[in-house]
Amino acid sequence: MEKPQGHRKIDLPSWLGHPDAIGRVLGSNPSGPTYTTPIKFRVVFFMFYVYILYSASINKYYVGYSADTDSRLYKHNTKHKGFTGQVNDWALVYTEA
């Protein structure tokens, strides 16, 4: 079988096979070698609350969930598109973690 043209065998530096060379960025680097660091994952759990709101003006209940019920109630009582944006008298009647 004939070798493809334009390809040639190159000799790699002897230190390339050394265990300390694993993860190194090769090439000229005036600031020294760069090593890769393992990626660490942090698992963060948030406490969520299920809540029930009641509006007396339309005599309806709304069920939702949020990590911060106070700020969520404030948003429900502002004018916006959506079911709870129609009125601004929502009151928190039940929460559960």
Side-chain angles (χ1 to χ4, degrees):
M1 183 173 207
E2 190 175 309
K3 284 185 184 180
Q5 289 186 341
H7 292 273
R8 61 190 165 118
K9 183 180 176 186
I10 58 170
D11 294 322
L12 297 175
S14 61
W15 58 265
L16 189 59
H18 194 274
D20 289 341
I22 296 172
R24 266 179 88 174
V25 176
L26 302 176
S28 63
N29 188 351
S31 64
T34 304
Y35 295 93
T36 58
T37 57
I39 297 172
K40 296 179 182 178
F41 293 97
R42 181 177 292 180
V43 178
V44 179
F45 294 99
F46 292 101
M47 177 70 82
F48 279 88
Y49 299 92
V50 174
Y51 60 88
I52 299 175
L53 303 178
Y54 176 72
S55 171
S57 65
I58 59 174
N59 194 25
K60 298 277 184 180
Y61 288 92
Y62 176 86
V63 179
Y65 66 94
S66 177
D68 184 6
T69 55
D70 292 335
S71 66
R72 190 68 185 117
L73 177 62
Y74 176 78
K75 289 179 184 178
H76 280 297
N77 282 320
T78 58
K79 188 172 177 81
H80 63 278
K81 283 186 169 181
F83 178 74
T84 61
Q86 300 168 9
V87 295
N88 63 354
D89 67 339
W90 293 101
L92 189 63
V93 293
Y94 180 78
T95 58
E96 182 177 312

PDB file of all heavy atoms in Angstrom, residues 33-59:
ATOM      1  N   PRO A  33       3.950  26.161  31.442  1.00  0.00           N
ATOM      2  CA  PRO A  33       2.973  25.159  31.015  1.00  0.00           C
ATOM      3  C   PRO A  33       1.613  25.375  31.667  1.00  0.00           C
ATOM      4  O   PRO A  33       1.508  25.892  32.774  1.00  0.00           O
ATOM      5  CB  PRO A  33       3.595  23.844  31.467  1.00  0.00           C
ATOM      6  CG  PRO A  33       4.492  24.210  32.586  1.00  0.00           C
ATOM      7  CD  PRO A  33       4.977  25.598  32.288  1.00  0.00           C
ATOM      8  N   THR A  34       0.582  24.994  30.948  1.00  0.00           N
ATOM      9  CA  THR A  34      -0.781  25.082  31.448  1.00  0.00           C
ATOM     10  C   THR A  34      -1.274  23.674  31.695  1.00  0.00           C
ATOM     11  O   THR A  34      -1.140  22.804  30.853  1.00  0.00           O
ATOM     12  CB  THR A  34      -1.696  25.755  30.406  1.00  0.00           C
ATOM     13  OG1 THR A  34      -1.136  27.020  30.081  1.00  0.00           O
ATOM     14  CG2 THR A  34      -3.090  25.950  30.956  1.00  0.00           C
ATOM     15  N   TYR A  35      -1.837  23.456  32.853  1.00  0.00           N
ATOM     16  CA  TYR A  35      -2.363  22.145  33.193  1.00  0.00           C
ATOM     17  C   TYR A  35      -3.874  22.228  33.298  1.00  0.00           C
ATOM     18  O   TYR A  35      -4.414  23.237  33.749  1.00  0.00           O
ATOM     19  CB  TYR A  35      -1.775  21.647  34.517  1.00  0.00           C
ATOM     20  CG  TYR A  35      -0.292  21.412  34.434  1.00  0.00           C
ATOM     21  CD1 TYR A  35       0.605  22.402  34.785  1.00  0.00           C
ATOM     22  CD2 TYR A  35       0.197  20.205  33.962  1.00  0.00           C
ATOM     23  CE1 TYR A  35       1.966  22.194  34.695  1.00  0.00           C
ATOM     24  CE2 TYR A  35       1.566  19.985  33.860  1.00  0.00           C
ATOM     25  CZ  TYR A  35       2.450  20.974  34.231  1.00  0.00           C
ATOM     26  OH  TYR A  35       3.786  20.774  34.128  1.00  0.00           O
ATOM     27  N   THR A  36      -4.537  21.182  32.884  1.00  0.00           N
ATOM     28  CA  THR A  36      -5.992  21.162  33.009  1.00  0.00           C
ATOM     29  C   THR A  36      -6.351  20.786  34.439  1.00  0.00           C
ATOM     30  O   THR A  36      -5.638  20.023  35.086  1.00  0.00           O
ATOM     31  CB  THR A  36      -6.622  20.146  32.042  1.00  0.00           C
ATOM     32  OG1 THR A  36      -6.076  18.855  32.314  1.00  0.00           O
ATOM     33  CG2 THR A  36      -6.365  20.530  30.607  1.00  0.00           C
ATOM     34  N   THR A  37      -7.427  21.332  34.923  1.00  0.00           N
ATOM     35  CA  THR A  37      -7.895  20.998  36.267  1.00  0.00           C
ATOM     36  C   THR A  37      -9.204  20.247  36.136  1.00  0.00           C
ATOM     37  O   THR A  37      -9.993  20.517  35.238  1.00  0.00           O
ATOM     38  CB  THR A  37      -8.122  22.262  37.119  1.00  0.00           C
ATOM     39  OG1 THR A  37      -9.040  23.099  36.439  1.00  0.00           O
ATOM     40  CG2 THR A  37      -6.831  23.002  37.356  1.00  0.00           C
ATOM     41  N   PRO A  38      -9.431  19.311  37.014  1.00  0.00           N
ATOM     42  CA  PRO A  38     -10.690  18.569  36.929  1.00  0.00           C
ATOM     43  C   PRO A  38     -11.875  19.481  37.208  1.00  0.00           C
ATOM     44  O   PRO A  38     -11.788  20.418  38.000  1.00  0.00           O
ATOM     45  CB  PRO A  38     -10.561  17.489  38.010  1.00  0.00           C
ATOM     46  CG  PRO A  38      -9.429  17.899  38.870  1.00  0.00           C
ATOM     47  CD  PRO A  38      -8.588  18.858  38.101  1.00  0.00           C
ATOM     48  N   ILE A  39     -12.977  19.202  36.536  1.00  0.00           N
ATOM     49  CA  ILE A  39     -14.189  19.986  36.720  1.00  0.00           C
ATOM     50  C   ILE A  39     -14.906  19.474  37.968  1.00  0.00           C
ATOM     51  O   ILE A  39     -15.112  18.275  38.125  1.00  0.00           O
ATOM     52  CB  ILE A  39     -15.106  19.866  35.488  1.00  0.00           C
ATOM     53  CG1 ILE A  39     -14.396  20.437  34.271  1.00  0.00           C
ATOM     54  CG2 ILE A  39     -16.429  20.562  35.725  1.00  0.00           C
ATOM     55  CD1 ILE A  39     -15.136  20.196  32.973  1.00  0.00           C
ATOM     56  N   LYS A  40     -15.257  20.385  38.836  1.00  0.00           N
ATOM     57  CA  LYS A  40     -15.974  20.013  40.048  1.00  0.00           C
ATOM     58  C   LYS A  40     -17.411  20.505  39.932  1.00  0.00           C
ATOM     59  O   LYS A  40     -17.650  21.621  39.494  1.00  0.00           O
ATOM     60  CB  LYS A  40     -15.316  20.633  41.280  1.00  0.00           C
ATOM     61  CG  LYS A  40     -13.919  20.132  41.511  1.00  0.00           C
ATOM     62  CD  LYS A  40     -13.296  20.784  42.704  1.00  0.00           C
ATOM     63  CE  LYS A  40     -11.863  20.301  42.874  1.00  0.00           C
ATOM     64  NZ  LYS A  40     -11.197  20.936  43.996  1.00  0.00           N
ATOM     65  N   PHE A  41     -18.322  19.677  40.301  1.00  0.00           N
ATOM     66  CA  PHE A  41     -19.720  20.044  40.273  1.00  0.00           C
ATOM     67  C   PHE A  41     -20.208  20.251  41.686  1.00  0.00           C
ATOM     68  O   PHE A  41     -19.884  19.479  42.579  1.00  0.00           O
ATOM     69  CB  PHE A  41     -20.568  18.954  39.596  1.00  0.00           C
ATOM     70  CG  PHE A  41     -20.268  18.815  38.140  1.00  0.00           C
ATOM     71  CD1 PHE A  41     -19.408  17.846  37.671  1.00  0.00           C
ATOM     72  CD2 PHE A  41     -20.852  19.679  37.226  1.00  0.00           C
ATOM     73  CE1 PHE A  41     -19.134  17.724  36.330  1.00  0.00           C
ATOM     74  CE2 PHE A  41     -20.586  19.567  35.876  1.00  0.00           C
ATOM     75  CZ  PHE A  41     -19.722  18.586  35.436  1.00  0.00           C
ATOM     76  N   ARG A  42     -20.976  21.278  41.877  1.00  0.00           N
ATOM     77  CA  ARG A  42     -21.567  21.539  43.185  1.00  0.00           C
ATOM     78  C   ARG A  42     -23.074  21.398  43.038  1.00  0.00           C
ATOM     79  O   ARG A  42     -23.681  22.019  42.184  1.00  0.00           O
ATOM     80  CB  ARG A  42     -21.235  22.943  43.654  1.00  0.00           C
ATOM     81  CG  ARG A  42     -21.813  23.254  45.018  1.00  0.00           C
ATOM     82  CD  ARG A  42     -21.421  24.602  45.480  1.00  0.00           C
ATOM     83  NE  ARG A  42     -19.973  24.569  45.724  1.00  0.00           N
ATOM     84  CZ  ARG A  42     -19.286  25.597  46.146  1.00  0.00           C
ATOM     85  NH1 ARG A  42     -19.880  26.746  46.342  1.00  0.00           N
ATOM     86  NH2 ARG A  42     -17.997  25.503  46.345  1.00  0.00           N
ATOM     87  N   VAL A  43     -23.640  20.585  43.879  1.00  0.00           N
ATOM     88  CA  VAL A  43     -25.075  20.385  43.854  1.00  0.00           C
ATOM     89  C   VAL A  43     -25.686  21.309  44.895  1.00  0.00           C
ATOM     90  O   VAL A  43     -25.287  21.317  46.058  1.00  0.00           O
ATOM     91  CB  VAL A  43     -25.445  18.917  44.166  1.00  0.00           C
ATOM     92  CG1 VAL A  43     -26.939  18.735  44.182  1.00  0.00           C
ATOM     93  CG2 VAL A  43     -24.790  17.995  43.167  1.00  0.00           C
ATOM     94  N   VAL A  44     -26.619  22.124  44.450  1.00  0.00           N
ATOM     95  CA  VAL A  44     -27.279  23.074  45.336  1.00  0.00           C
ATOM     96  C   VAL A  44     -28.761  22.757  45.353  1.00  0.00           C
ATOM     97  O   VAL A  44     -29.384  22.602  44.306  1.00  0.00           O
ATOM     98  CB  VAL A  44     -27.056  24.530  44.856  1.00  0.00           C
ATOM     99  CG1 VAL A  44     -27.762  25.517  45.765  1.00  0.00           C
ATOM    100  CG2 VAL A  44     -25.579  24.824  44.762  1.00  0.00           C
ATOM    101  N   PHE A  45     -29.281  22.625  46.533  1.00  0.00           N
ATOM    102  CA  PHE A  45     -30.703  22.356  46.675  1.00  0.00           C
ATOM    103  C   PHE A  45     -31.401  23.608  47.196  1.00  0.00           C
ATOM    104  O   PHE A  45     -30.935  24.238  48.131  1.00  0.00           O
ATOM    105  CB  PHE A  45     -30.951  21.203  47.648  1.00  0.00           C
ATOM    106  CG  PHE A  45     -30.438  19.893  47.147  1.00  0.00           C
ATOM    107  CD1 PHE A  45     -29.229  19.389  47.569  1.00  0.00           C
ATOM    108  CD2 PHE A  45     -31.168  19.164  46.226  1.00  0.00           C
ATOM    109  CE1 PHE A  45     -28.748  18.191  47.097  1.00  0.00           C
ATOM    110  CE2 PHE A  45     -30.708  17.960  45.743  1.00  0.00           C
ATOM    111  CZ  PHE A  45     -29.487  17.473  46.183  1.00  0.00           C
ATOM    112  N   PHE A  46     -32.494  23.969  46.570  1.00  0.00           N
ATOM    113  CA  PHE A  46     -33.285  25.101  47.008  1.00  0.00           C
ATOM    114  C   PHE A  46     -34.547  24.576  47.669  1.00  0.00           C
ATOM    115  O   PHE A  46     -35.130  23.592  47.222  1.00  0.00           O
ATOM    116  CB  PHE A  46     -33.672  25.991  45.824  1.00  0.00           C
ATOM    117  CG  PHE A  46     -32.512  26.701  45.205  1.00  0.00           C
ATOM    118  CD1 PHE A  46     -31.941  26.239  44.035  1.00  0.00           C
ATOM    119  CD2 PHE A  46     -31.981  27.832  45.799  1.00  0.00           C
ATOM    120  CE1 PHE A  46     -30.865  26.886  43.457  1.00  0.00           C
ATOM    121  CE2 PHE A  46     -30.916  28.494  45.233  1.00  0.00           C
ATOM    122  CZ  PHE A  46     -30.356  28.022  44.064  1.00  0.00           C
ATOM    123  N   MET A  47     -34.969  25.256  48.705  1.00  0.00           N
ATOM    124  CA  MET A  47     -36.213  24.896  49.362  1.00  0.00           C
ATOM    125  C   MET A  47     -37.339  25.589  48.604  1.00  0.00           C
ATOM    126  O   MET A  47     -37.344  26.797  48.454  1.00  0.00           O
ATOM    127  CB  MET A  47     -36.203  25.362  50.817  1.00  0.00           C
ATOM    128  CG  MET A  47     -37.490  25.092  51.558  1.00  0.00           C
ATOM    129  SD  MET A  47     -37.762  23.357  51.889  1.00  0.00           S
ATOM    130  CE  MET A  47     -36.762  23.169  53.330  1.00  0.00           C
ATOM    131  N   PHE A  48     -38.257  24.818  48.090  1.00  0.00           N
ATOM    132  CA  PHE A  48     -39.403  25.364  47.383  1.00  0.00           C
ATOM    133  C   PHE A  48     -40.657  25.198  48.223  1.00  0.00           C
ATOM    134  O   PHE A  48     -40.778  24.247  48.986  1.00  0.00           O
ATOM    135  CB  PHE A  48     -39.594  24.675  46.020  1.00  0.00           C
ATOM    136  CG  PHE A  48     -38.686  25.215  44.971  1.00  0.00           C
ATOM    137  CD1 PHE A  48     -37.430  24.689  44.786  1.00  0.00           C
ATOM    138  CD2 PHE A  48     -39.091  26.265  44.166  1.00  0.00           C
ATOM    139  CE1 PHE A  48     -36.581  25.191  43.814  1.00  0.00           C
ATOM    140  CE2 PHE A  48     -38.259  26.778  43.197  1.00  0.00           C
ATOM    141  CZ  PHE A  48     -37.006  26.240  43.018  1.00  0.00           C
ATOM    142  N   TYR A  49     -41.551  26.140  48.075  1.00  0.00           N
ATOM    143  CA  TYR A  49     -42.810  26.136  48.804  1.00  0.00           C
ATOM    144  C   TYR A  49     -43.964  26.074  47.813  1.00  0.00           C
ATOM    145  O   TYR A  49     -43.960  26.761  46.809  1.00  0.00           O
ATOM    146  CB  TYR A  49     -42.951  27.417  49.642  1.00  0.00           C
ATOM    147  CG  TYR A  49     -41.860  27.565  50.666  1.00  0.00           C
ATOM    148  CD1 TYR A  49     -40.694  28.257  50.366  1.00  0.00           C
ATOM    149  CD2 TYR A  49     -41.999  27.008  51.929  1.00  0.00           C
ATOM    150  CE1 TYR A  49     -39.686  28.392  51.302  1.00  0.00           C
ATOM    151  CE2 TYR A  49     -40.997  27.135  52.867  1.00  0.00           C
ATOM    152  CZ  TYR A  49     -39.836  27.829  52.550  1.00  0.00           C
ATOM    153  OH  TYR A  49     -38.841  27.946  53.472  1.00  0.00           O
ATOM    154  N   VAL A  50     -44.938  25.250  48.124  1.00  0.00           N
ATOM    155  CA  VAL A  50     -46.191  25.252  47.391  1.00  0.00           C
ATOM    156  C   VAL A  50     -47.090  26.226  48.129  1.00  0.00           C
ATOM    157  O   VAL A  50     -47.133  26.229  49.359  1.00  0.00           O
ATOM    158  CB  VAL A  50     -46.821  23.843  47.356  1.00  0.00           C
ATOM    159  CG1 VAL A  50     -48.197  23.879  46.724  1.00  0.00           C
ATOM    160  CG2 VAL A  50     -45.912  22.888  46.622  1.00  0.00           C
ATOM    161  N   TYR A  51     -47.790  27.078  47.386  1.00  0.00           N
ATOM    162  CA  TYR A  51     -48.635  28.076  48.047  1.00  0.00           C
ATOM    163  C   TYR A  51     -49.989  28.152  47.359  1.00  0.00           C
ATOM    164  O   TYR A  51     -50.134  27.780  46.193  1.00  0.00           O
ATOM    165  CB  TYR A  51     -47.960  29.452  48.074  1.00  0.00           C
ATOM    166  CG  TYR A  51     -47.649  30.008  46.705  1.00  0.00           C
ATOM    167  CD1 TYR A  51     -48.596  30.763  46.004  1.00  0.00           C
ATOM    168  CD2 TYR A  51     -46.418  29.800  46.117  1.00  0.00           C
ATOM    169  CE1 TYR A  51     -48.317  31.277  44.759  1.00  0.00           C
ATOM    170  CE2 TYR A  51     -46.124  30.302  44.865  1.00  0.00           C
ATOM    171  CZ  TYR A  51     -47.082  31.047  44.192  1.00  0.00           C
ATOM    172  OH  TYR A  51     -46.804  31.546  42.955  1.00  0.00           O
ATOM    173  N   ILE A  52     -50.964  28.631  48.104  1.00  0.00           N
ATOM    174  CA  ILE A  52     -52.307  28.863  47.558  1.00  0.00           C
ATOM    175  C   ILE A  52     -52.656  30.318  47.819  1.00  0.00           C
ATOM    176  O   ILE A  52     -52.532  30.811  48.941  1.00  0.00           O
ATOM    177  CB  ILE A  52     -53.361  27.943  48.208  1.00  0.00           C
ATOM    178  CG1 ILE A  52     -53.014  26.480  47.925  1.00  0.00           C
ATOM    179  CG2 ILE A  52     -54.754  28.268  47.678  1.00  0.00           C
ATOM    180  CD1 ILE A  52     -53.922  25.482  48.621  1.00  0.00           C
ATOM    181  N   LEU A  53     -53.061  31.006  46.754  1.00  0.00           N
ATOM    182  CA  LEU A  53     -53.507  32.396  46.850  1.00  0.00           C
ATOM    183  C   LEU A  53     -55.012  32.431  46.667  1.00  0.00           C
ATOM    184  O   LEU A  53     -55.591  31.580  45.993  1.00  0.00           O
ATOM    185  CB  LEU A  53     -52.861  33.240  45.753  1.00  0.00           C
ATOM    186  CG  LEU A  53     -51.338  33.270  45.684  1.00  0.00           C
ATOM    187  CD1 LEU A  53     -50.895  34.114  44.493  1.00  0.00           C
ATOM    188  CD2 LEU A  53     -50.742  33.782  46.968  1.00  0.00           C
ATOM    189  N   TYR A  54     -55.634  33.459  47.263  1.00  0.00           N
ATOM    190  CA  TYR A  54     -57.077  33.650  47.090  1.00  0.00           C
ATOM    191  C   TYR A  54     -57.344  35.104  46.736  1.00  0.00           C
ATOM    192  O   TYR A  54     -56.780  36.027  47.331  1.00  0.00           O
ATOM    193  CB  TYR A  54     -57.829  33.292  48.376  1.00  0.00           C
ATOM    194  CG  TYR A  54     -59.301  33.572  48.283  1.00  0.00           C
ATOM    195  CD1 TYR A  54     -60.136  32.774  47.503  1.00  0.00           C
ATOM    196  CD2 TYR A  54     -59.864  34.655  48.952  1.00  0.00           C
ATOM    197  CE1 TYR A  54     -61.492  33.036  47.399  1.00  0.00           C
ATOM    198  CE2 TYR A  54     -61.222  34.928  48.867  1.00  0.00           C
ATOM    199  CZ  TYR A  54     -62.024  34.117  48.083  1.00  0.00           C
ATOM    200  OH  TYR A  54     -63.368  34.387  47.981  1.00  0.00           O
ATOM    201  N   SER A  55     -58.237  35.302  45.753  1.00  0.00           N
ATOM    202  CA  SER A  55     -58.670  36.638  45.372  1.00  0.00           C
ATOM    203  C   SER A  55     -60.160  36.758  45.676  1.00  0.00           C
ATOM    204  O   SER A  55     -60.974  36.028  45.089  1.00  0.00           O
ATOM    205  CB  SER A  55     -58.418  36.878  43.888  1.00  0.00           C
ATOM    206  OG  SER A  55     -59.021  38.087  43.487  1.00  0.00           O
ATOM    207  N   ALA A  56     -60.510  37.676  46.556  1.00  0.00           N
ATOM    208  CA  ALA A  56     -61.912  37.864  46.928  1.00  0.00           C
ATOM    209  C   ALA A  56     -62.712  38.530  45.810  1.00  0.00           C
ATOM    210  O   ALA A  56     -63.904  38.250  45.651  1.00  0.00           O
ATOM    211  CB  ALA A  56     -62.003  38.717  48.197  1.00  0.00           C
ATOM    212  N   SER A  57     -62.056  39.385  45.018  1.00  0.00           N
ATOM    213  CA  SER A  57     -62.791  40.110  43.976  1.00  0.00           C
ATOM    214  C   SER A  57     -63.286  39.187  42.858  1.00  0.00           C
ATOM    215  O   SER A  57     -64.331  39.452  42.265  1.00  0.00           O
ATOM    216  CB  SER A  57     -61.943  41.238  43.406  1.00  0.00           C
ATOM    217  OG  SER A  57     -60.819  40.712  42.751  1.00  0.00           O
ATOM    218  N   ILE A  58     -62.563  38.123  42.562  1.00  0.00           N
ATOM    219  CA  ILE A  58     -63.029  37.182  41.525  1.00  0.00           C
ATOM    220  C   ILE A  58     -63.399  35.818  42.119  1.00  0.00           C
ATOM    221  O   ILE A  58     -63.774  34.916  41.393  1.00  0.00           O
ATOM    222  CB  ILE A  58     -61.986  37.016  40.394  1.00  0.00           C
ATOM    223  CG1 ILE A  58     -60.647  36.513  40.922  1.00  0.00           C
ATOM    224  CG2 ILE A  58     -61.843  38.289  39.595  1.00  0.00           C
ATOM    225  CD1 ILE A  58     -59.626  36.195  39.831  1.00  0.00           C
ATOM    226  N   ASN A  59     -63.256  35.689  43.446  1.00  0.00           N
ATOM    227  CA  ASN A  59     -63.605  34.468  44.170  1.00  0.00           C
ATOM    228  C   ASN A  59     -62.923  33.231  43.551  1.00  0.00           C
ATOM    229  O   ASN A  59     -63.551  32.233  43.261  1.00  0.00           O
ATOM    230  CB  ASN A  59     -65.125  34.281  44.217  1.00  0.00           C
ATOM    231  CG  ASN A  59     -65.531  33.236  45.245  1.00  0.00           C
ATOM    232  OD1 ASN A  59     -64.799  32.990  46.204  1.00  0.00           O
ATOM    233  ND2 ASN A  59     -66.670  32.614  45.037  1.00  0.00           N
TER     234      ASN A  59
END
